[in-house]
């Protein structure tokens, strides 16, 4: 069945380990997953089921049972580690340059342009705390009518004015003008209007704060989906991150719990397209506050919700869980960290497996475009839809997994098999030997007997791997008895995938391995 609905959920800041260039960002050794999962409050069986602890190189790998989905991680190609940069890259926009910051204030020529455009002067022009800046400059602002311009460690231009001196709507106009000017090399992440009220020294900021986000400089996945007539539903701060572009429906949220509830409500609706969710509390409430236990509790709460969501998923649904950067709560830094992001993908009947280390977050957006069959020039490599060869490789990997359980003390030759049912289910088997030798059961028959005894009847493929020692290293063609058994219960059209665990698997039809087989029909 084709995929109609994609749920892309960003666990804000849930990175899975430092990127090779993390040192350049002051983040060497950061690993949000490791710090959070070490907390006693961490309990995430559903994330584990999806493969979270199978992701390679996270320093948190566990064997456990075979996951039900695809798992891997992706590196950030953009020069940044902030929310906007991370989400843009997920949606196919790579930022080659870091967003500009102004530790010494904005260049005078830039402010002159803004002053000329708005017809109003400026004050301050340096990094400042938002509450202190109105205390220190508020009176001068009121006396002169000029606006207070300040910044922070982030890529941000902020304009503050007393609401009686510059009415809030007019301050917005001035900010819009600044937003138009702050482009190209001065394309700050956000322009923020900061109206305040009251009398010196008790000035206070009003609720009139307004953000003027930067539009993505190139078409995003969201633009492509909406142009193709698909729905784009944005839950949480997704719409702000993309300055509303390519977004059909915007659903703001107050918290993670609210975001999860609104996602569940959206899943009850019929739609064709993307539901793009950001859960921000992980980052804002726990990551930045260096609170690993709080973070772990929030992940555990998400995991509980996830269990219900997985149960409710329809055949037409694809779920992708990921992040936008790290924010390791156990390091001294309270800032984001330059990390790999996890990619966990699930749909009913998907062949589970490792999608490896991806070169860019953009693989997520590329995959979603591919799943909807949209022609595009987005960067990245899609990991879905899978080719036949992907499926074969994955089935062979599952056979290698099954082989770990082999009981072969007499021959030392260990074999694993993975049998794919027509319903998409996979049954694993290994060889089980006997001191009396003849009762020995081959891996293929173990898998087949298990599957039949669980009520499965129709099969399309079987992968077999074998060899002595730890890793599979020999091609293991089914023995005569297994060929006979498979012929009867799976039919001559069964695809037999033979892999030595290294190169590309070889593919045969069973009736090629057993021509003129004797089956049920032969009895007449
Ligand atoms: N074996 C299989 O599991 N599958 C085959 O198709 C060929 C042989 C096992 C049986 C025995 O435990 C070991 O390999 C060596 O023959």
């Amino acid at each position: 069945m084709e995929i109609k609905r994609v749920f892309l959920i960003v666990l804000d800041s849930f990175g899975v380990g430092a990127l090779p260039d993390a040192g350049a960002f002051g983040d060497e050794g950061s690993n949000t997953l490791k710090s959070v999962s070490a907390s006693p409050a961490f309990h995430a069986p559903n994330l584990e089921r999806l493969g979270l602890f199978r992701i390679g190189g996270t320093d948190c790998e566990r064997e456990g049972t075979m996951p039900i989905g695809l798992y891997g991680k992706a590196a950030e190609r953009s020069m940044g580690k902030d929310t906007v940069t991370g989400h843009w890259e997920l949606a196919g926009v790579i930022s080659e340059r870091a967003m500009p910051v102004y530790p010494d204030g904005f260049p005078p020529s830039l402010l002159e342009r803004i002053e000329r455009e708005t017809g109003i002067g400026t004050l301050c022009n340096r990094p400042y705390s938002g509450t202190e800046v109105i205390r220190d400059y508020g009176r001068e602002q009121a006396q002169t009518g000029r606006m207070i311009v300040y910044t922070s460690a982030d890529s941000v231009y902020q304009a503050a004015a007393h609401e009686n001196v510059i009415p809030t709507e007019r301050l917005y106009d001035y900010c819009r003008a600044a937003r138009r000017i702050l482009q190209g090399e001065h394309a700050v992440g956000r322009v923020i209007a900061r109206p305040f009220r009251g009398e010196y020294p008790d000035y206070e900021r009003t609720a009139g704060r307004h953000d003027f986000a930067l539009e993505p400089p190139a078409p995003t996945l969201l633009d492509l989906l909406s142009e193709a007539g698909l729905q784009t539903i944005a839950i949480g701060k997704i719409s702000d991150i993309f300055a509303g572009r390519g977004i059909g429906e915007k659903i703001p949220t107050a918290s993670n719990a609210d975001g999860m509830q609104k996602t569940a409500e959206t899943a009850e609706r019929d739609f064709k397209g993307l539901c793009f969710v950001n859960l921000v509390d992980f980052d804002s409430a726990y990551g930045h506050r260096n609170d690993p236990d709080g973070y772990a509790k929030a992940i555990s709460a998400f995991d509980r919700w996830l269990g219900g969501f997985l149960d409710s998923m329809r055949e037409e649904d694809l779920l992708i869980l990921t992040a936008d950067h790290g924010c390791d709560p156990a390091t001294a830094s309270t800032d984001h960290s330059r990390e790999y992001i996890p990619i966990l993908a699930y749909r009913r009947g998907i062949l589970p497996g490792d999608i490896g280390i991806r070169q860019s977050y953009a693989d997520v957006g590329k995959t979603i475009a591919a799943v909807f069959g949209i022609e595009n020039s987005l960067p990245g490599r899609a990991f879905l839809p899978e080719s036949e060869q992907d499926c074969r490789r994955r089935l062979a990997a599952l056979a290698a997994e099954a082989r770990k359980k082999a009981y072969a003390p007499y021959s030392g030759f260990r074999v694993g098999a993975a049998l794919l049912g027509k319903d998409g289910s996979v049954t694993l088997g290994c060889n089980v030997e006997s001191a009396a030798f003849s009762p020995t059961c081959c891996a293929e028959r173990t898998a087949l007997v298990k599957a039949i005894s669980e009520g499965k009847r129709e099969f399309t493929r079987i992968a077999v791997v074998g060899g002595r020692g730890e890793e599979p290293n020999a091609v293991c063609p089914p023995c005569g008895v297994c060929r006979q058994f498979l012929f009867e219960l799976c039919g001559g059209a069964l695809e037999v995938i033979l892999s030595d665990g290294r190169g590309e698997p070889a593919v045969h039809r069973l009736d090629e391995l057993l021509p003129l087989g004797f089956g049920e029909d032969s009895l007449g």
Side-chain angles (χ1 to χ4, degrees):
M1 175 180 257
E2 75 173 311
I3 291 174
K4 270 176 66 185
R5 312 193 302 175
V6 176
F7 294 86
L8 172 59
I9 304 182
V10 177
L11 311 180
D12 203 305
S13 87
F14 196 44
V16 294
L19 280 170
D21 65 359
F25 292 78
D27 298 328
E28 213 159 345
S30 286
N31 188 334
T32 305
L33 171 65
K34 190 176 176 193
S35 300
V36 172
S37 63
S39 160
F42 185 90
H43 183 64
N46 292 303
L47 286 167
E48 178 153 13
R49 214 148 58 95
L50 291 177
L52 181 63
F53 293 108
R54 288 288 186 119
I55 300 173
T58 62
D59 212 9
C60 304
E61 292 103 306
R62 288 181 208 154
E63 277 283 310
T65 49
M66 191 59 209
I68 59 171
L70 301 181
Y71 53 89
K73 64 182 183 183
E76 181 154 25
R77 256 181 63 192
S78 300
M79 284 313 297
K81 53 173 182 174
D82 61 275
T83 298
V84 170
T85 307
H87 282 76
W88 283 6
E89 184 162 322
L90 286 169
V93 174
I94 290 165
S95 311
E96 309 284 354
R97 276 187 310 194
M99 289 198 180
V101 290
Y102 298 91
D104 305 314
F106 298 94
S109 60
L110 203 60
L111 281 193
E112 277 159 26
R113 278 186 62 198
I114 293 170
E115 290 179 354
R116 227 178 304 125
E117 182 76 17
T118 57
I120 190 157
T122 59
L123 289 172
C124 182
N125 188 28
R126 55 199 192 89
Y128 231 98
S129 128
T131 43
E132 284 167 22
V133 85
I134 54 178
R135 194 193 57 212
D136 296 352
Y137 288 89
R139 274 188 302 183
E140 194 180 344
Q141 194 283 312
Q143 281 156 14
T144 62
R146 294 197 246 159
M147 54 189 164
I148 303 167
V149 170
Y150 65 107
T151 184
S152 74
D154 292 341
S155 181
V156 56
Y157 168 101
Q158 309 190 77
H162 196 288
E163 62 179 6
N164 295 345
V165 180
I166 301 178
T168 299
E169 281 304 325
R170 191 131 48 85
L171 186 62
Y172 292 171
D173 285 339
Y174 296 156
C175 285
R176 280 188 200 99
R179 180 70 281 176
R180 282 195 299 276
I181 291 167
L182 296 167
Q183 298 291 336
E185 65 169 314
H186 295 299
V188 292
R190 278 172 303 167
V191 169
I192 309 178
R194 297 279 198 180
F196 61 91
R197 61 158 74 100
E199 296 296 328
Y200 179 83
D202 300 317
Y203 293 130
E204 56 171 16
R205 299 196 276 188
T206 77
R209 166 185 169 156
H210 193 79
D211 291 37
F212 300 83
L214 184 65
E215 280 200 25
T220 70
L221 170 72
L222 291 160
D223 295 319
L224 297 179
L225 295 177
S226 10
E227 277 160 28
L230 295 166
Q231 270 170 275
T232 50
I233 304 167
I235 299 186
K237 61 178 184 171
I238 296 295
S239 182
D240 295 334
I241 291 168
F242 290 90
R245 222 182 59 207
I247 286 163
E249 188 179 338
K250 168 180 172 178
I251 304 177
T253 60
S255 63
N256 272 9
D258 192 29
M260 291 185 270
Q261 195 191 325
K262 285 179 169 144
T263 305
E265 284 164 14
T266 305
E268 281 169 22
R269 293 161 36 183
D270 283 322
F271 67 91
K272 181 160 189 200
L274 173 67
C275 174
F276 193 171
V277 183
N278 172 281
L279 299 177
V280 74
D281 292 358
F282 300 117
D283 181 62
S284 58
Y286 310 110
H288 287 297
R289 293 187 195 159
N290 276 354
D291 177 0
D293 291 332
Y295 203 134
K297 273 187 209 136
I299 288 288
S300 306
F302 172 75
D303 194 85
R304 271 193 301 283
W305 175 86
L306 177 62
F309 186 82
L310 288 172
D311 287 343
S312 77
M313 278 176 71
R314 306 178 186 172
E315 289 222 9
E316 68 204 42
D317 292 346
L318 169 67
L319 169 68
I320 301 178
L321 298 181
T322 188
D324 54 343
H325 49 71
C327 193
D328 188 334
T331 55
S333 160
T334 56
D335 196 4
H336 294 161
S337 39
R338 176 91 171 159
E339 293 188 40
Y340 287 103
I341 53 164
I343 300 180
L344 302 174
Y346 175 76
R347 72 174 297 202
R348 290 199 181 284
I350 198 167
L351 263 191
D354 191 354
I355 55 167
I357 304 176
R358 323 289 305 185
Q359 296 306 303
S360 167
Y361 294 7
D363 287 12
V364 171
K366 190 77 178 175
T367 297
I368 295 170
V371 154
F372 285 121
I374 294 174
E375 259 202 63
N376 66 83
S377 52
L378 294 174
R381 273 183 48 229
F383 51 84
L384 286 172
E386 301 154 291
S387 67
E388 294 287 289
Q389 203 54 19
D390 288 336
C391 291
R392 290 181 185 122
R393 251 184 256 124
R394 214 156 274 156
L395 204 61
L398 291 169
E401 191 79 25
R403 182 179 168 277
K404 292 181 181 157
K405 307 256 166 51
Y407 175 73
Y410 307 110
S411 73
F413 191 82
R414 303 158 68 80
V415 186
L419 179 65
L420 181 63
K422 210 171 179 184
D423 60 357
S425 67
V426 177
T427 310
L428 303 181
C430 61
N431 55 335
V432 182
E433 295 187 342
S434 159
F437 295 147
S438 51
T440 289
C441 191
C442 291
E444 299 90 316
R445 276 176 289 138
T446 303
L448 193 50
V449 168
K450 268 173 75 184
I452 297 283
S453 63
E454 284 163 11
K456 292 165 194 161
R457 277 291 180 277
E458 291 186 286
F459 307 97
T460 56
R461 288 180 167 145
I462 189 166
V464 189
V465 301
R468 294 177 206 274
E470 277 299 304
E471 294 301 319
N473 50 35
V475 172
C476 177
C479 76
V481 174
C482 283
R483 290 180 201 207
Q484 180 63 34
F485 207 67
L486 289 167
F487 186 81
E488 169 138 8
L489 291 158
C490 306
L494 181 76
E495 189 180 286
V496 180
I497 300 158
L498 300 179
S499 161
D500 64 1
R502 289 176 294 224
E504 282 293 301
V507 187
H508 303 274
R509 261 176 74 108
L510 182 61
D511 51 15
E512 175 198 328
L513 303 181
L514 185 68
L516 277 179
F518 183 89
E520 209 185 340
D521 296 345
S522 314
L523 292 175

